[in-house]
Amino acid sequence: MTTPGRVVATDGPAGPGGPVGAGRTVLRVDGLSVGTRQTPLLSDVSFSVDRGERVGLIGESGSGKSLTALAVMGLLPEGLGASGDVRLSARTPAARNLLGVGEREMARVRGDGMSMVFQEPMTALNPTMRVGDQVAEVMLLHRTQPSRSAARRRVVELLGQVDLPDPAHLARSYPHELSGGQRQRVVLAIALANDPALLICDEPTTALDVTVQATVLDLVVRGVEERDSAMLFITHDLGVVATVCERVLVMYGGRIVEAGPVQEVFADPRHRYTQGLVAASDLAGADGRRGRAQLPTIPGTVPPAGRFPSGCVFRTRCTHATQACASQPPWTPRGKHPAGAAAYGHACVHPAGGDDD
Amino acid sequence: MTDPARDATAGPPGPAIELRGVSRDFRRRRTSLSTPPPVVHAVRDVSLSVARGERFGIVGESGSGKSTLLRLVCGLDRPTSGELYVEGRPVHDQPHRRLRWLRSTLQLVFQDPMGSLDPRMRVRDIVAEPLVAQGRRAGNRERVVDLLERVGLSADAADRYPHQFSGGQRQRISVARALAPDPDILVADEPVSALDVSVRAQVLNLIDEVVEGFDLTLVLVSHDLSVVRHVCDRVTVMQRGELVEVAPTEQLFTAPEHPYTRSLLAAVPDLQTALSGRTARDLAAGVRGQAPA
Ligand SMILES: Nc1ncnc2c1ncn2[C@@H]1O[C@H](COP(=O)(O)OP(=O)(O)OP(=O)(O)O)[C@@H](O)[C@H]1O
Ligand SMILES: Nc1ncnc2c1ncn2[C@@H]1O[C@H](COP(=O)(O)OP(=O)(O)O)[C@@H](O)[C@H]1O
Ligand code: SF4
Ligand SMILES: [Mg+2]
Ligand SMILES: [Mg+2]
């Protein structure tokens, strides 16, 4: 899979046996804030993703998940500003803050060092161009294939890797001739074409049927595993994150309110928002069908941007809120984590604890 | 909210909904002059009976014919062949104007509350719409306020417009509107698939409350198997227009018989099983019909 000369500069030996620490960190986001002139949309977001690691980003719609992804990709829409520090260690080490890099250079990094898969595959595809040419284009653009004919051969391999039937023939199709699941596989093939160090997926299977979703998730995981790429996987579906990721970041009101290994965060959440999300997601109940019992809910709804309270962003919906929650709760590390304190902890003053409440 | 007229109008204790060999074909546009226009068999030879008071679920993938089947049941479309009865009265062979009774017997809630709520109408008029359609004018104001409160909205919601509400609140408005004519049957097409999990739980609780409180028969379509499992007594699985399996909910989920049902169930990324180690590879293998490890 790896072409010679395409290895990361700060490379250590691949695989789980490799060294952990700065050398394996592909993406590091520090104190990222995004907003319009008047309204803060993301506040002080910090996290990192290592090589070969799959990190989930969850939260209800309007929590700031997509903005986080767009800020990292340098794709924030007009009118939004970002501050903080975003570093990518891909073909070249993470020497510069990407937030300060110009668009011309960002365009060189996108589709190469990092790439992204969106919810709606049609937004990423050109409707008037054969899909095979679109996969070839991203390699020719970034000069990762020496010639058009070499790129064509690689296209067929890539389309085959995402399990598309008869790839040589399918490469000649236009996007509208494909099903939603097939389109998303083409988008994935494009995203993986240059063996990115970082793949960001924003709700890549939300629009797909469950059986198609299962195959696409499998392909995403295999694609990043084969390349030892880092992945940031955005979804609102807790079952999907738990299936795909080893670590998770929980976002609400533009802040990361809890983070940690999937097992710990979902089986034993600390932040009251995470606790509410997990309870509301689980329609079956811990031991099979919940029957006619009322489902646990989170009261109220996500406020629109700019209407989140000061202090703990969740306090207007939290049944445990007290006066103490009116000031910003500090980050409480929960245990040692190789990726640092931000990777495992929460920002709640009255955390849920153990198995009782 | 009980309607004394209801007992008098209720038919014999037969099924709420009955389908006998119902099919619906759509003729697609001709692509060339030499070949006949292609036909889509959206619903194929469906026979089904839903008992009064039952909570019946329909699951299946996109394009399997779920919405087409619902449209037939609601008299919004006519079958190509077969017979369809609601509370014992024929629906399949009746012209639209002779189905006015159906509007008060059976009401619909859709997936996209924004698409089905007229943005220029106040909530008060939206909820009263089915009553006005029946020519009922007196007492509508009080009824609207009562209904809004029943679905967890405050009375002052009546004066506002749909865009002033969140997705979940709009779905409450749709439910209030559906309840207005005091129907016997509630039909819901993907009522929670556009909602966040926390709001989904709120709306599912609401549906549960109104089905219980208003003594309704429920037909619920969802592509989300966990939703159907939570809500319904009996479930059918649709594939390419056919009902491939019909079974009591727990039986269908614990001992699925049809291979397609098994692959659907195997594909669902469930939180608990994921935490106990089921990977994306296992899900995909389940879809292909290989038992996950
Ligand atoms: N008016 C129509 N003309 C032609 N074909 C139609 C029409 N309505 C539906 N179909 C076709 O009938 C089949 C069943 O469609 P239907 O909308 O019932 O599916 P569904 O199960 O509700 O799917 P979804 O989960 O996407 O809502 C599809 O192949 C669809 O394209
Ligand atoms: N261009 C923009 N201008 C102003 N507000 C925006 C813009 N884009 C997104 N927002 C707001 O930022 C918040 C977070 O949005 P988003 O990242 O898309 O959430 P998510 O992906 O978690 O659903 C929302 O309240 C959204 O309305
Ligand atoms: S900090 Fe306070 S308001 Fe926020 S989640 Fe914890 S208890 Fe609730
Ligand atoms: Mg989003
Ligand atoms: Mg439908």
Side-chain angles (χ1 to χ4, degrees):
Chain A
M1 181 71 17
T2 37
T3 330
R6 304 225 47 240
V7 279
V8 178
T10 49
D11 205 27
V20 181
R24 287 192 61 87
T25 304
V26 171
L27 175 70
R28 179 174 295 284
V29 173
D30 246 312
L32 172 68
S33 295
V34 168
T36 65
R37 218 174 269 273
Q38 299 85 20
T39 316
L41 299 173
L42 296 182
S43 310
D44 197 20
V45 171
S46 300
F47 65 94
S48 66
V49 190
D50 281 2
R51 283 186 61 185
E53 204 189 12
R54 303 190 296 269
V55 175
L57 177 57
I58 62 166
E60 290 171 280
S61 81
S63 316
K65 307 182 294 298
S66 296
L67 284 178
T68 304
L70 295 175
V72 170
M73 294 291 292
L75 290 173
L76 283 175
E78 274 309 290
L80 296 192
S83 64
D85 200 277
V86 175
R87 275 162 210 263
L88 179 78
S89 174
R91 204 149 320 175
T92 50
R96 282 167 319 151
N97 182 357
L98 291 187
L99 295 180
V101 167
E103 171 53 28
R104 284 251 312 270
E105 211 172 322
M106 277 310 282
R108 279 208 285 279
V109 179
R110 281 196 298 269
D112 183 23
M114 60 181 170
S115 56
M116 185 158 166
V117 175
F118 296 88
Q119 174 171 347
E120 182 36 67
M122 263 333 238
T123 57
L125 294 173
N126 178 344
T128 63
M129 194 172 165
R130 294 183 198 277
V131 296
D133 293 343
Q134 302 191 43
V135 183
E137 192 186 53
V138 69
M139 294 185 280
L140 295 168
L141 202 69
H142 295 284
R143 304 217 177 83
T144 55
Q145 289 294 330
S147 67
R148 194 160 281 278
S149 56
R152 283 238 175 83
R153 280 195 298 278
R154 183 77 182 121
V155 165
V156 175
E157 270 172 47
L158 284 163
L159 293 178
Q161 279 169 18
V162 292
D163 273 359
L164 284 164
D166 194 0
H169 179 255
L170 192 130
R172 304 183 47 79
S173 323
Y174 290 96
H176 73 264
E177 297 171 319
L178 305 179
S179 72
Q182 290 176 321
R183 283 180 206 147
Q184 199 59 297
R185 290 173 206 213
V186 171
V187 172
L188 182 63
I190 294 173
L192 294 175
N194 294 326
D195 301 333
L198 172 71
L199 178 71
I200 300 184
C201 296
D202 190 355
E203 310 253 9
T205 58
T206 305
L208 304 178
D209 275 321
V210 283
T211 54
V212 184
Q213 163 170 281
T215 359
V216 171
L217 292 179
D218 181 31
L219 292 168
V220 169
V221 171
R222 277 198 273 163
V224 293
E225 265 178 359
E226 281 162 5
R227 291 164 176 83
D228 203 21
S229 305
M231 175 160 81
L232 181 66
F233 192 98
I234 297 177
T235 173
H236 63 268
D237 187 328
L238 276 57
V240 170
V241 205
T243 303
V244 169
C245 302
E246 42 234 301
R247 199 149 66 75
V248 63
L249 315 166
V250 185
M251 189 164 234
Y252 184 79
R255 287 179 182 272
I256 292 176
V257 296
E258 179 153 18
V262 163
Q263 183 73 40
E264 278 72 12
V265 171
F266 288 157
D268 186 16
R270 290 296 147 94
H271 198 281
R272 298 295 178 178
Y273 177 62
T274 318
Q275 186 187 31
L277 264 190
V278 171
S281 303
D282 184 14
L283 296 184
D287 32 37
R289 192 182 180 214
R290 215 191 281 276
R292 283 291 136 74
Q294 288 268 302
L295 295 167
T297 64
I298 300 175
T301 50
V302 182
R307 299 275 187 77
F308 287 90
S310 61
C312 175
V313 275
F314 186 55
R315 80 189 157 96
T316 42
R317 296 175 75 191
C318 181
T319 49
H320 294 81
T322 64
Q323 197 47 45
C325 310
S327 23
Q328 176 59 39
W331 186 259
T332 310
R334 192 171 156 185
K336 274 245 168 299
H337 196 280
Y344 192 19
H346 61 81
C348 176
V349 193
H350 308 296
D355 308 307
D356 37 274
D357 64 345
Chain B
M1 196 70 30
T2 47
D3 184 348
R6 176 128 138 209
D7 290 337
T9 54
I17 298 170
E18 193 173 10
L19 284 78
R20 296 191 198 141
V22 169
S23 296
R24 177 66 169 107
D25 298 339
F26 291 108
R27 222 160 271 287
R28 281 268 163 80
R29 213 145 17 108
R30 192 185 278 270
T31 46
S32 84
L33 287 173
S34 53
T35 55
V39 174
V40 182
H41 304 284
V43 171
R44 306 174 194 230
D45 192 22
V46 167
S47 296
L48 175 71
S49 169
V50 178
R52 285 172 201 255
E54 193 176 17
R55 300 170 180 216
F56 189 77
I58 304 175
V59 297
E61 302 202 0
S62 181
S64 58
K66 307 180 297 295
S67 297
T68 305
L69 187 67
L70 284 196
R71 290 176 54 79
L72 295 171
V73 169
C74 301
L76 298 170
D77 184 20
R78 285 228 250 161
T80 311
S81 59
E83 294 166 24
L84 203 159
Y85 301 88
V86 172
E87 297 195 339
R89 299 171 71 172
V91 172
H92 57 280
D93 57 357
Q94 300 295 308
H96 215 74
R97 63 188 159 77
R98 303 208 42 195
L99 286 175
R100 278 189 52 188
W101 63 272
L102 193 57
R103 302 279 152 268
S104 54
T105 305
L106 181 153
Q107 280 283 318
L108 259 163
V109 173
F110 295 98
Q111 166 174 3
D112 172 20
M114 209 46 201
S116 62
L117 302 178
D118 187 333
R120 293 155 308 177
M121 279 168 78
R122 285 183 198 276
V123 167
R124 151 186 330 289
D125 300 315
I126 289 172
V127 175
E129 199 184 9
L131 299 173
V132 174
Q134 289 177 350
R136 278 159 65 171
R137 306 245 167 227
N140 286 1
R141 220 176 205 340
E142 295 70 37
R143 181 147 178 86
V144 167
V145 169
D146 181 30
L147 286 165
L148 289 175
E149 280 169 358
R150 288 293 290 257
V151 301
L153 293 170
S154 60
D156 62 8
D159 293 315
R160 294 196 272 155
Y161 292 92
H163 73 263
Q164 294 171 295
F165 295 88
S166 69
Q169 289 171 326
R170 282 182 213 135
Q171 208 52 300
R172 290 176 192 274
I173 297 169
S174 314
V175 172
R177 173 177 60 183
L179 295 174
D182 201 10
D184 300 330
I185 304 169
L186 186 66
V187 172
D189 193 355
E190 303 274 9
V192 294
S193 41
L195 306 174
D196 266 316
V197 281
S198 66
V199 183
R200 176 183 76 174
Q202 294 171 9
V203 172
L204 289 178
N205 283 343
L206 172 67
I207 289 177
D208 186 60
E209 267 166 48
V210 303
V211 168
E212 190 75 39
F214 291 76
D215 230 345
L216 302 175
T217 302
L218 177 72
V219 178
L220 176 95
V221 161
S222 178
H223 69 276
D224 187 334
L225 283 88
S226 65
V227 167
V228 166
R229 184 176 195 178
H230 174 73
V231 175
C232 299
D233 305 320
R234 204 153 60 97
V235 183
T236 187
V237 178
M238 256 187 121
Q239 184 191 26
R240 287 186 225 106
E242 288 178 306
L243 306 189
V244 298
E245 185 161 0
V246 189
T249 307
E250 273 319 284
Q251 188 182 321
L252 187 112
F253 279 86
T254 52
E257 287 194 353
H258 196 278
Y260 180 69
T261 311
R262 283 203 285 270
S263 77
L264 264 188
L265 290 177
V268 179
D270 169 70
L271 179 56
Q272 297 306 332
T273 49
L275 291 182
S276 55
R278 184 152 66 162
T279 64
R281 187 159 302 188
D282 297 333
L283 293 185
V287 173
R288 288 192 298 270
Q290 302 151 359

